[in-house]
Amino acid sequence: GENVEQHPSTLSVQEGDSAVIKCTYSDSASNYFPWYKQELGKRPQLIIDIRSNVGEKKDQRIAVTLNKTAKHFSLHITETQPEDSAVYFCAARSGGSYIPTFGRGTSLIVHP
Amino acid sequence: NAGVTQTPKFRILKIGQSMTLQCTQDMNHNYMYWYRQDPGMGLKLIYYSVGAGITDKGEVPNGYNVSRSTTEDFPLRLELAAPSQTSVYFCASTFSDRGGTEAFFGQGTRLTVV
């Protein structure tokens, strides 16, 4: 089955800095890569996703890049704000199974 | 649209007790999932269902059971609760699409087994 590794487990930045979270996956058949944000005590919610036919996608301060050859994808947050503080999960979904496999999560802390 | 509704939000069980976590979705999604979330361990798949009448085991199914009699409902049953089942449980659903669609999550159930 799919295996997703996510790094770092904790990321501490100053407000205004950029933050990068990286994930690798094992199944070359995976074709959908969503990122979820989970605020304390809340449910995970989708913030951005990318499909295997696209190398990069951007939405305001958030961007995701995908390298299919190396089987890794990354989340980039620019101009971080305190409200970006949360746990971020990457996931990979195989086109065959439709089951998303999640990374272990990254706790992002943005200091004012 | 209510999305995915999960109950209860909190529950304390004694060792050996049983309970059912309820999950219902009104988006007509065919895929539904149960995950457990332990600190620093991400979301681990317990069971999933690809449609009414069809269920299958995920990564950590031991101690749990599910059923899917309708498209909307996907309850998770804990028999003989153990302290190792203390966790936060999330139900989720997606529409099966070859290109991929987002998973919608319920609000979670925080379960403590004492």
Side-chain angles (χ1 to χ4, degrees):
Chain A
E2 176 67 276
N3 182 48
V4 177
E5 300 283 342
Q6 182 173 348
H7 299 280
S9 56
T10 306
L11 180 57
S12 185
V13 300
Q14 289 295 128
E15 183 177 359
D17 288 350
S18 294
V20 181
I21 302 170
K22 299 181 180 181
C23 290
T24 61
Y25 62 98
S26 61
D27 187 354
S28 56
S30 287
N31 64 351
Y32 177 63
F33 307 91
W35 286 88
Y36 294 86
K37 177 183 180 181
Q38 185 181 29
E39 296 176 347
L40 190 63
K42 301 284 184 65
R43 72 188 83 187
Q45 292 190 293
L46 181 78
I47 54 170
I48 196 167
D49 56 13
I50 192 166
R51 290 177 172 77
S52 57
N53 59 348
V54 176
E56 184 174 357
K57 183 176 179 181
K58 193 172 180 181
D59 183 3
Q60 299 182 6
R61 296 185 297 108
I62 294 173
V64 58
T65 58
L66 172 65
N67 183 326
K68 284 177 60 180
T69 303
K71 288 191 276 189
H72 68 69
F73 56 113
S74 300
L75 178 72
H76 304 254
I77 306 174
T78 58
E79 301 171 27
T80 54
Q81 301 166 2
E83 50 266 39
D84 294 330
S85 296
V87 176
Y88 291 81
F89 291 98
C90 64
R93 195 217 71 169
S94 169
S97 75
Y98 299 138
I99 308 298
T101 299
F102 289 85
R104 287 193 171 191
T106 296
S107 177
L108 174 64
I109 303 164
V110 181
H111 299 281
Chain B
N1 270 3
V4 180
T5 303
Q6 197 179 327
T7 57
K9 279 191 173 181
F10 305 94
R11 184 73 185 267
I12 299 174
L13 277 183
K14 292 185 178 178
I15 294 172
Q17 286 186 320
S18 301
M19 76 165 294
T20 299
L21 281 67
Q22 302 291 345
C23 177
T24 187
Q25 52 91 12
D26 62 358
M27 297 172 285
N28 203 32
H29 286 171
N30 46 351
Y31 275 61
M32 295 187 75
Y33 317 85
W34 274 105
Y35 290 93
R36 61 176 287 172
Q37 183 177 29
D38 300 311
M41 299 300 290
L43 294 157
K44 292 192 180 287
L45 183 65
I46 305 171
Y47 268 95
Y48 68 97
S49 168
V50 304
I54 306 169
T55 63
D56 211 343
K57 295 178 181 178
E59 186 182 357
V60 289
N62 291 347
Y64 307 95
N65 266 304
V66 293
S67 60
R68 185 96 181 270
S69 57
T70 67
T71 298
E72 294 78 21
D73 301 307
F74 190 42
L76 176 72
R77 178 83 178 159
L78 278 73
E79 304 281 3
L80 299 174
S84 60
Q85 293 178 304
T86 294
S87 188
V88 179
Y89 292 83
F90 285 99
C91 176
S93 72
T94 62
F95 182 69
S96 65
D97 176 85
R98 192 176 292 275
T101 55
E102 73 175 284
F104 290 84
F105 288 83
Q107 64 266 50
T109 297
R110 185 173 294 275
L111 175 67
T112 303
V113 182
V114 296

